[in-house]
Amino acid sequence: MKQTEVLLQPNPNVRLEEFVYEKLEKKAPSRMSNHELLGQSLIDAGSELGPGTAYGNAMIKCGEAEKQIGGAGRELIQGAAINFLTPFKNFLDGDFKTILKERKLLQVKRLDLDAAKTRLKKARMTDARAAAEQELRMTQSEFDRQAEITRLLLEGISSTHAHHLRCLNDFVESQTTYYAQCYQYMVDLQKQLGSFPSSFTNNNQSPVSAAASISVPTIPVTASLPSVSGGSASAGGFNELRSTNGSRKARVLYDYDAAGSNELSLLADEVITVSSSPGMDSDWLMGERGNQKGKVPITYLELLN
């Protein structure tokens, strides 16, 4: 039971505080978990950088995923406390103490019975022997009654074990739900980050690669992570567009603020026409929206069929 508490709350100071509040029959103050604290820090940093920027938006999404994991952890702790730890505590504080008390009392009755048998053996006089036999019958009766009480209590442990087995299954189910939720949150986050541009533009400087490749962990048995694809196909489409000098429709993935008069500002999810001009940088295309025209970074675009 103690190791389960350590697993659910690794911080010994927090466990001590919760213990004190429990003894005082007061509710412990609510506090954010480490995942929730990290999530909030990421969201704050992303908001400061700007939700419209790719990096700021990515930090916010990571922060939201961390807070979701923190929420799932809170549900795990609550579920484990109600379905697993509480039945243990109730047994240890209730039936278990009763069993120990009755067993100890049985030992006392056995010692009294042994003493009565000894006195009967040593009795020589008729009156003394009669008194010893009377005492032996009384102590034997008390011992038999206490032995029956203790036997019934000990036999009840079998049903207690069956109940605790169900509690153990509930605990495992809570953990299964928790890890499945965490896995799904990370898969969703990975898919979102996989769609972000692999390079960013700062004013008139050349794009600098800034995104690390996302490795997909190997999950045993039948589970598998969905692959993040589309990058190579998009690259092939842009290469074909540049080689033919034609034009294509493209969807804008993220907001983009033009850094100069020769660039075109973009809004996420809008559709524009893009084309390539001879001698143009390979990371840029010419974008058109009605009468507006200007350079746009290809990392912010998705070619449409």
Coordinates of all heavy atoms in Angstrom, one line a residue, residues 34 51 58 61 67-68 77 91 96 133 138 150-151 158 160 171 177 198 202 266 294:
N34 N 3.4 18.0 -12.0 CA 4.6 18.4 -12.8 C 4.3 18.6 -14.3 O 4.7 19.5 -14.9 CB 5.8 17.4 -12.6 CG 6.4 17.5 -11.2 OD1 6.3 18.5 -10.5 ND2 6.9 16.4 -10.7
P51 N 1.2 33.1 -30.8 CA 0.5 31.9 -31.4 C 0.5 31.9 -32.9 O 0.3 30.8 -33.5 CB -1.0 32.1 -30.8 CG -0.9 33.1 -29.7 CD 0.3 34.0 -30.0
A58 N 3.6 25.7 -31.8 CA 4.1 24.4 -31.4 C 4.2 24.2 -29.9 O 3.8 23.2 -29.3 CB 5.4 24.0 -32.1
K61 N 0.8 23.9 -28.4 CA 0.2 22.5 -28.6 C 0.9 21.5 -27.6 O 0.2 20.6 -27.1 CB 0.4 22.1 -30.0 CG -0.5 22.9 -31.0 CD -0.4 22.4 -32.4 CE -1.3 23.2 -33.3 NZ -2.7 23.2 -32.9
K67 N -0.7 19.2 -20.3 CA -1.7 19.4 -19.3 C -2.8 18.3 -19.4 O -3.4 17.9 -18.4 CB -2.4 20.8 -19.6 CG -1.5 22.0 -19.3 CD -2.2 23.3 -19.3 CE -3.0 23.5 -18.1 NZ -3.6 24.9 -18.1
Q68 N -3.0 17.8 -20.6 CA -3.9 16.6 -20.7 C -3.4 15.4 -20.0 O -4.1 14.7 -19.4 CB -4.1 16.3 -22.2 CG -5.0 17.3 -23.0 CD -5.2 16.9 -24.4 OE1 -4.2 16.6 -25.1 NE2 -6.4 17.0 -24.9
I77 N -4.8 8.9 -10.1 CA -4.6 9.0 -8.6 C -6.0 8.9 -7.9 O -6.1 8.1 -6.9 CB -3.9 10.3 -8.3 CG1 -2.5 10.3 -8.8 CG2 -3.9 10.5 -6.7 CD1 -1.8 11.6 -8.6
F91 N -9.5 -2.2 5.5 CA -9.2 -3.5 6.0 C -8.2 -3.5 7.2 O -8.4 -4.1 8.2 CB -8.8 -4.5 4.9 CG -8.3 -5.8 5.4 CD1 -9.2 -6.7 5.9 CD2 -6.9 -6.1 5.4 CE1 -8.8 -8.0 6.4 CE2 -6.5 -7.3 5.9 CZ -7.4 -8.3 6.4
F96 N -8.6 -6.1 10.1 CA -7.3 -6.6 10.4 C -7.0 -6.4 11.9 O -6.4 -7.3 12.6 CB -6.2 -6.0 9.5 CG -4.9 -6.5 9.7 CD1 -4.6 -7.8 9.4 CD2 -3.8 -5.7 10.2 CE1 -3.3 -8.4 9.6 CE2 -2.6 -6.2 10.4 CZ -2.3 -7.6 10.0
E133 N -10.4 -28.9 38.7 CA -11.2 -29.4 37.6 C -12.3 -28.4 37.2 O -12.6 -28.2 36.0 CB -11.9 -30.7 38.0 CG -10.9 -31.9 38.2 CD -11.6 -33.1 38.7 OE1 -12.8 -33.0 39.1 OE2 -11.0 -34.2 38.6
M138 N -14.0 -24.2 33.0 CA -14.3 -22.8 32.7 C -13.3 -22.3 31.7 O -13.6 -21.7 30.7 CB -14.2 -22.0 34.0 CG -15.4 -22.2 34.9 SD -15.3 -21.2 36.4 CE -15.3 -19.6 35.7
T150 N -12.1 -16.6 16.7 CA -10.9 -16.4 15.8 C -11.0 -17.2 14.5 O -10.6 -16.7 13.5 CB -9.7 -16.8 16.6 OG1 -9.7 -16.2 17.9 CG2 -8.4 -16.4 15.9
R151 N -11.5 -18.4 14.6 CA -11.6 -19.2 13.4 C -12.5 -18.6 12.3 O -12.2 -18.5 11.2 CB -12.1 -20.6 13.7 CG -12.2 -21.6 12.5 CD -12.8 -22.9 13.0 NE -14.2 -22.8 13.3 CZ -15.2 -22.7 12.5 NH1 -15.0 -22.7 11.2 NH2 -16.4 -22.5 12.9
S158 N -10.7 -15.2 3.3 CA -10.8 -15.7 1.9 C -11.7 -14.7 1.1 O -11.3 -14.4 0.0 CB -11.4 -17.1 1.9 OG -10.6 -18.0 2.6
T160 N -12.2 -11.6 1.9 CA -11.4 -10.4 1.8 C -10.4 -10.4 0.6 O -10.3 -9.4 -0.1 CB -10.7 -10.1 3.1 OG1 -11.6 -10.0 4.2 CG2 -9.9 -8.8 3.0
F171 N -7.3 -1.4 -10.2 CA -6.1 -0.6 -10.3 C -5.4 -0.8 -11.6 O -4.9 0.2 -12.2 CB -5.2 -1.0 -9.1 CG -3.9 -0.2 -9.1 CD1 -3.9 1.1 -9.1 CD2 -2.7 -0.9 -9.0 CE1 -2.7 1.9 -9.0 CE2 -1.5 -0.2 -8.9 CZ -1.5 1.2 -9.0
T177 N -6.0 2.5 -18.6 CA -6.7 3.7 -19.2 C -5.7 4.9 -19.2 O -5.7 5.6 -20.2 CB -7.9 4.0 -18.3 OG1 -8.8 2.9 -18.3 CG2 -8.6 5.3 -18.9
S198 N 9.5 22.7 -41.7 CA 10.8 22.2 -41.2 C 11.8 23.4 -41.3 O 12.9 23.2 -40.9 CB 11.3 21.1 -42.1 OG 11.3 21.5 -43.5
N202 N 13.3 34.4 -40.9 CA 13.4 35.6 -40.0 C 13.8 36.8 -40.9 O 14.9 36.9 -41.3 CB 14.5 35.3 -39.0 CG 14.6 36.5 -38.0 OD1 13.7 37.4 -37.9 ND2 15.7 36.5 -37.2
L266 N 0.1 35.8 -45.5 CA -0.7 34.6 -45.7 C -1.6 34.4 -44.5 O -1.2 34.8 -43.4 CB 0.1 33.4 -46.0 CG 1.0 33.4 -47.2 CD1 1.9 32.1 -47.2 CD2 0.3 33.5 -48.5
G294 N 3.2 38.2 -54.6 CA 4.4 38.3 -53.8 C 5.0 36.9 -53.5 O 4.4 35.9 -53.7

